[in-house]
Amino acid sequence: MSIVQGGRPPTGARPTETPPREGRAAVWPAAAVLVLLLPALVLLSLLIGTGSSSAGGAWDYLVGDPAARADAQLRLAVVDVRLPRTLAAVLVGACLGTAGCLLQAATRNPLAETGLLGVNAGAAFAVVLGLTFFGADSPASLLVWALAGGMLASAAVLLFAASGRGGGSPLRLVLAGSALGATFHGLTSYVLLGTQSTFDTYRYWTIGSLAGIETSDLLPLLPLIAVGLLTALGCARPLAALGLGDDGARSLGHHPGRIRLVVAGAVSLLAGCAVAVAGPIAFLGLFAPYAARALAGARMTAGIVLSALIAADIMIVADILARVVIRPWETPVSVLLAFVGGPLLVWIARSSRLSTAGVPA
């Protein structure tokens, strides 16, 4: 993106921020592949499970075979178990991928991820409070507590970051998120020390899994997720201007502090919904935006869409593997993502392209 102001580029603009035509052309085939891959992975997720129902039987059910449709066990496996967790994988992946893309662009840190805003820590603390003092022991109630905790923690981070001069800057957001996150971790540990039953339930939630998700758990979150995704797309042009530097963004009529606050609100909403559904999921919000930037360069709209698609595809693959790695038992999806994400994080951190991955240093 090249903006000329008074015959000269704004302060902070760099020629390398304009993606080459070849890179622009490559975005659409990549996006098409990811879009086509998503329904294929959804179908595969509906066919594969940890139970005794075969993939062939599940296929017969999906294509409307009368005998298969009359099988109550097949209906339970496909409709009541696999379909909700498949939809959850798509939504959680899209939320984390989009949130990570926004956060990395707003903070100009290609290693930023949603935990920086204290969403995970706030959600965990709220879940512990609900379990210990309010008898919240059902999946639906834990989802409400997790969402509320994540959103309140993010709101607190935004208030702290926006206070004083230079409010909403990347450094203030990161510092406020890290400080409040550490505080919530300490409070969570304190409450857990004296409640063994709470610890057992909390341990299952915090490990990060899509098992046990029901469609009724997802429906109330759909409007919130839609608002977060639409806000993310609306932030694409201001974030592209912010990529020219704060001075460059101001010369184009944007307010960097306001942009970052709106982005942080969208990130909080998306990450809060994802944590409420699946618990804390690491690495996905870091890797998906990095891969999207490799395809889209500095094009924010394409980067946001690709991040959502890549993260959704990865989440479905991880959930399928979680069902079959140690069948008939199930591996938490966060464990599989950590096994892959750890080495990827090291590789990204050591990459010579880190400072030119589409996020200005």
Side-chain angles (χ1 to χ4, degrees), residues 7-357:
R8 299 182 62 184
T11 304
R14 297 183 297 182
T16 56
E17 289 171 348
T18 301
R21 291 187 178 274
E22 295 80 3
R24 297 179 185 180
V27 170
W28 305 117
V33 170
L34 291 170
V35 169
L36 293 175
L37 183 61
L38 186 61
L41 290 175
V42 167
L43 176 60
L44 190 63
S45 179
L46 295 176
L47 297 178
I48 298 176
T50 57
S52 58
S53 300
S54 66
W59 173 260
D60 291 338
Y61 183 91
L62 291 174
V63 297
D65 181 82
R69 288 297 176 98
D71 191 330
Q73 184 176 0
L74 271 177
R75 175 178 175 79
L76 176 66
V78 176
V79 177
D80 297 333
V81 176
R82 298 176 192 171
L83 179 59
R85 67 185 298 166
T86 301
L87 295 176
V90 174
L91 293 176
V92 169
C95 286
L96 291 178
T98 303
C101 182
L102 293 179
L103 189 57
Q104 290 177 17
T107 61
R108 302 178 195 170
N109 181 356
L111 295 181
E113 55 97 23
T114 53
L116 283 179
L117 290 185
V119 177
N120 293 353
F125 181 56
V127 166
V128 169
L129 290 180
L131 287 169
T132 305
F133 301 110
F134 298 94
D137 54 2
S138 67
S141 60
L142 291 181
L143 186 147
V144 171
W145 279 94
L147 178 60
M151 293 299 297
L152 289 176
S154 300
V157 170
L158 295 180
L159 287 176
F160 280 119
S163 62
R165 299 180 61 183
S169 69
L171 180 60
R172 292 178 69 91
L173 282 172
V174 171
L175 289 178
S178 299
L180 281 179
T183 302
F184 285 131
H185 277 304
L187 293 173
T188 299
S189 299
Y190 175 77
V191 175
L192 288 174
L193 284 176
T195 51
Q196 181 63 39
S197 59
T198 297
F199 177 75
D200 291 338
T201 306
Y202 169 77
R203 180 177 57 184
Y204 175 79
W205 175 84
T206 196
I207 201 170
S209 174
L210 296 176
I213 296 293
E214 298 181 0
T215 305
S216 59
D217 298 330
L218 301 174
L219 293 179
L221 296 179
L222 292 180
L224 300 178
I225 294 173
V227 170
L229 294 176
L230 290 175
T231 303
L233 291 175
C235 290
R237 180 168 293 182
L239 281 174
L242 196 62
L244 301 174
D246 285 10
D247 291 339
R250 290 190 187 96
S251 71
L252 296 175
H254 297 285
H255 300 274
R258 296 178 188 175
I259 294 172
R260 293 190 179 100
L261 288 177
V262 173
V263 166
V267 168
S268 302
L269 189 61
L270 293 170
C273 291
V275 172
V277 172
I281 301 291
F283 298 113
L284 190 58
L286 185 153
F287 173 72
Y290 185 85
R293 284 195 302 274
L295 295 171
R299 302 182 68 194
M300 279 307 305
T301 301
I304 291 170
V305 173
L306 289 176
S307 293
L309 290 172
I310 291 171
D313 288 341
I314 292 176
M315 194 68 182
I316 295 178
V317 172
D319 187 48
I320 293 173
L321 292 177
R323 308 175 204 174
V324 301
V325 169
I326 54 172
R327 185 185 283 180
W329 296 279
E330 186 168 325
T331 305
V333 67
S334 62
V335 174
L336 292 176
L337 289 173
F339 272 121
V340 177
L344 282 174
L345 177 59
V346 174
W347 177 77
I348 290 173
R350 291 174 56 87
S351 173
S352 60
R353 298 181 58 202
L354 183 63
S355 63
T356 59

